[in-house]
Amino acid sequence: MPEYEFVDVYVPRGISRKEATRLLTDHAEYGHWELDRLTLRLDGSRRVRLKRRIIRQIRATW
């Protein structure tokens, strides 16, 4: 079963949708993150949970 690491990103309510999209696109493109969950809160802020797969190296037995 694959293992994932998670990071929570808080986007305040003053940030426009376009700026939030650009922020998340940068995380996805350069950090290899993908969207796991997005929560829109009553005050207009967003909580975004991103995930990426952990790739384990297999030891070489020489």
Side-chain angles (χ1 to χ4, degrees):
M1 179 179 276
E3 294 181 43
Y4 292 96
E5 62 179 317
F6 297 92
V7 66
D8 289 328
V9 178
Y10 175 76
V11 182
R13 74 177 195 172
I15 303 295
S16 69
R17 178 181 271 181
K18 184 177 180 179
E19 292 174 4
T21 302
R22 184 174 45 105
L23 173 75
L24 295 176
T25 301
D26 288 344
H27 275 288
E29 188 172 335
Y30 299 115
H32 303 288
W33 294 97
E34 60 186 53
L35 182 66
D36 183 51
R37 178 173 296 181
L38 183 127
T39 305
L40 181 61
R41 298 189 176 192
L42 292 176
D43 64 352
S45 64
R46 298 172 187 94
R47 190 188 73 136
V48 183
R49 174 170 278 182
L50 303 172
K51 70 177 181 177
R52 69 177 166 190
R53 189 171 178 181
I54 299 173
I55 300 173
R56 302 277 185 207
Q57 292 287 336
I58 299 173
R59 289 186 181 182
T61 55
W62 301 85

